[in-house]
Amino acid sequence: MINLTGLNAPQREAVSVLSGPLLVLAGAGTGKTRVITYRMANLIGHGIRPDRILSVTFTNKAAREMRERAQKLLGKQLKQRPVVSTFHAYCVRVLRDDIDSLGYPKEFVIYDRGDQESTARTALRDIRVGDSAMRPSDLLNRISRWKMHGITENEASNHIEADFDFLAAMAYRRYQKQLRASGAVDFDDLLLLTARLFREYPEVLRKHQSRFDHVQIDEYQDTNGVQFQLVEKLVAGHNNICVVGDDDQSIYGWRGAEVEHIINFAGHFPGARTVCLENNYRCTDQILGCANRLVKHNRHRHDKTLIPHKKSGAPVRIMAFDDETAEAENVVREIAYLTTELGVKPKHVAILFRTNEQPRIFEQELRRLKVPYMLVGGQSFFDRREIRDLLAYLKAMAFPKDEVSLLRIINTPSRGIGATTVEKLIQIAVKKGSSLWEILPEAQAAGVVPAKTMTALQAFRSLLQRYREQMIMAPLQMADTLRRMLKEINYEAEIAKQYKEEAQQESRKNILEEFVNSIGQYAEKEREPTLMGFLETTALMDRDDQTGKDDEMADNSVRLMTLHSAKGLEFPRVYLVGMEEGLLPHKRSIDSDLEKDIAEERRLAYVGVTRAMDHLTLTRASTRMKWGKRRESVCSRFLFEMQSDPGAELKEERITSDTEQSVPPSRLAPPASSAAIPSPRPLMPRVTNEFEAPPF
């Protein structure tokens, strides 16, 4: 039996509920991953077969952490393991078994964002809509919203709210038709098609229901409509469902998450038990005081209050600056002093912001003062041009029908196949409803393809077939096979053509090497590696699963990230910047005038506050440049709501241009350890209370 003595009373209660529906309300820093992994172990200790337990979360990182913790608890003697998966990875398993019922090949390809944009551009061209009327990215965002709500291409025309939607619905039908013709699905299809399978094919649903006796869902507040349908149908036979989450941290409404799923859990699953985890081991009492006061202004929530286990922390600071430049200069100057003079590790500091535009000026200052930093959520390793080219080669080998990938590389590197010829071939293929390779003889006979170009096309096709066979015959040597192919096509010449500086060329070659390494690492790790398996693993990676030097850099860098990116993380020191109306809460939520939109912004601020372990600084600018003109900013309502007396004057430190800017070392003696560093006051602010009441 599993030893539960290391858990507190509410955690023990949650872990001990072994049947029926269970809602675990896990506030920030209350040990939700600990509960979900201990509960898995406890189920196994009570005789449930490990492989009959399914635990689902949202990111690969969370799934890895859950697996590692479960393995630590269970030991290595167990032959079977609980199934821990992301929603999308679970759906891929279901679809590999049964997607042919929906008319798709079992060996389908998963399109990434670049592939989707190519397909969307073609769909728009087919209905004669140019980029000026609708960009491919705008179409994809609309399609994604429809899919997250379970709306298919045939139903979209019933959900039209504007002219844009009318055109988007037409393009949606073309887009899906092209996906099916290429044997492809996009990321949202993984969920939508699985839900459709479960809804339309009862025998398929019964088969997948019979595989698990217990289902656990992590971060339940982030589920969208389709995910809720999947969960509901999957557990319908036994109702042994445990969901863990926090309605106060539901911040993904813009991508379909519905907070009502966790708020109305007991209504969806009658007889549900609720256990509330409120003991916070992350933040000081001062920080939690602000967080609790803030989130209580949301009316539609489960009533809970985080209880601090770290007492007497440094006070939370609210600092006002003349403008955004002064805000960035002073925040970065303080961080530079902390890291160079007081021994604070850069990785223990985070600057959090609401919008993607805000970090630019902070980056400038960090560079100027030579403070190492990392902008989290920047370009993914797999978004780089060279990597997308290599992935297209691998996809064209694995999935000969995938013309999006084929067209990306058909003349990369240059092999004498011109754009005009390709366009003519595409037109013939579309007209005939056949693949590009199938219509080549006809195109040659019609004189569409010159003899020299036909030779190049046949050589290219032969190259793909030859390396496809090698990948299939020797999967453990896939990395060597890819390396040989890169040499044969002389991809380094393509790099030299694209990048003129030697340093850039070297950097891009290193990126290629890293990619080849990644396929080698995959082959080593998997019991039965395949090319399709590698492409599937790559397609299911999160943006935080970056490859390369970013991980090393993170060990010694200040993090800059949006509040959405910061969820699930924690830092000893947090600077939450831009606390102004229009930024946080965002202008869109203010303009919508809907309580639910402001409530989500408030939850976003709550997430930001609860990332701080020991020190929290909230900053704002009195004026900010907007469209080339300096305009006055209004203090965020959330600052007032965090105060112990929300109706009182705002207690903030006002840093003006005539404020002393020097850092007095005598006031900041180096501590014995970074955990004991006092809250610095290097700016010697003149404190004023210029606001009498919230301006709303």
Side-chain angles (χ1 to χ4, degrees), residues 332-378:
V332 173
R333 184 185 298 113
E334 182 166 287
I335 292 171
Y337 183 77
L338 288 167
T339 55
T340 58
E341 301 296 324
L342 297 188
V344 174
K345 292 181 180 177
K347 69 176 181 178
H348 289 166
V349 182
I351 302 173
L352 308 183
F353 41 85
R354 173 65 179 88
T355 69
N356 287 317
E357 294 76 35
Q358 287 172 262
R360 178 190 60 80
I361 196 164
F362 287 91
E363 285 195 81
Q364 286 176 355
E365 282 303 303
L366 288 161
R367 283 198 190 107
R368 190 174 69 82
L369 295 183
K370 296 182 172 52
V371 177
Y373 75 92
M374 185 171 107
L375 181 61
V376 177

Side-chain angles (χ1 to χ4, degrees), residues 23-216:
L23 167 62
V24 181
L25 288 171
T30 58
K32 71 178 180 62
T33 307
R34 185 177 176 83
V35 164
I36 210 165
T37 49
Y38 264 85
R39 190 171 181 276
M40 266 193 281
N42 203 28
L43 284 167
I44 294 166
H46 281 80
I48 304 297
R49 260 176 50 189
D51 61 344
R52 305 287 298 173
I53 303 168
L54 170 66
S55 294
V56 181
T57 188
F58 279 81
T59 67
N60 293 317
K61 182 180 175 184
R64 276 196 305 271
E65 184 182 359
M66 209 180 285
R67 277 192 214 100
E68 288 164 6
R69 290 206 194 183
Q71 187 168 329
K72 216 175 212 180
L73 277 176
L74 297 169
K76 297 183 178 178
Q77 71 276 15
L78 285 178
K79 291 181 182 177
Q80 298 163 328
R81 294 279 165 193
V83 178
V84 181
S85 173
T86 64
F87 267 104
H88 289 91
Y90 170 73
C91 288
V92 167
R93 292 175 60 180
V94 173
L95 294 175
R96 289 287 181 215
D97 282 349
D98 296 295
I99 197 172
D100 52 334
S101 300
L102 300 175
Y104 286 80
K106 286 193 175 186
E107 292 191 349
F108 58 85
V109 60
I110 304 169
Y111 272 5
D112 61 23
R113 182 70 181 193
D115 300 329
Q116 287 179 260
E117 290 202 357
S118 297
T119 308
R121 189 171 286 108
T122 304
L124 289 169
R125 185 185 62 196
D126 288 349
I127 63 169
R128 306 200 191 301
V129 173
D131 279 11
S132 58
M134 186 183 301
R135 294 177 303 177
S137 58
D138 293 333
L139 171 62
L140 290 175
N141 290 339
R142 192 69 194 89
I143 290 174
S144 183
R145 285 203 298 277
W146 275 325
K147 288 185 176 182
M148 284 187 291
H149 289 94
I151 299 168
T152 67
E153 70 271 27
N154 297 321
E155 299 165 337
S157 55
N158 300 324
H159 298 267
I160 290 172
E161 299 171 6
D163 290 346
F164 178 93
D165 290 344
F166 178 77
L167 292 173
M170 290 174 60
Y172 184 8
R173 287 192 289 274
R174 297 289 182 124
Y175 172 81
Q176 286 301 120
K177 185 178 179 181
Q178 286 178 50
L179 287 181
R180 281 194 295 272
S182 298
V185 300
D186 66 21
F187 220 54
D188 292 314
D189 280 334
L190 296 176
L191 302 176
L192 188 65
L193 295 177
T194 304
R196 187 179 153 200
L197 265 178
F198 284 179
R199 184 173 62 251
E200 296 179 8
Y201 296 89
E203 68 283 5
V204 171
L205 173 60
R206 281 193 295 273
K207 178 173 77 173
H208 291 283
Q209 282 175 331
S210 68
R211 289 182 174 173
F212 301 105
D213 299 318
H214 290 266
V215 175
Q216 301 189 130

Side-chain angles (χ1 to χ4, degrees), residues 304-319:
K304 55 190 174 301
T305 302
L306 293 180
I307 302 164
H309 280 253
K310 287 166 72 173
K311 302 290 184 183
S312 303
V316 173
R317 298 185 300 166
I318 303 174
M319 308 187 80

Side-chain angles (χ1 to χ4, degrees), residues 12 87 92 95 111 122 144 212 220 225 303 333 349 397 414 447 461 502-503 519 524 536 563 585 637 659 682 689:
R12 234 178 355 261
F87 267 104
V92 167
L95 294 175
Y111 272 5
T122 304
S144 183
F212 301 105
Y220 189 66
D303 186 27
R333 184 185 298 113
V349 182
M397 291 178 210
S414 177
R461 186 180 190 181
E502 199 172 314
I519 198 169
E524 279 182 351
E536 184 178 292
L563 290 163
R637 67 191 73 188
T659 299
N689 291 315

Side-chain angles (χ1 to χ4, degrees), residues 516-531:
V516 173
N517 291 343
S518 73
I519 198 169
Q521 288 157 358
Y522 161 82
E524 279 182 351
K525 193 170 61 175
E526 292 295 316
R527 258 184 285 184
E528 296 181 10
T530 63
L531 175 56

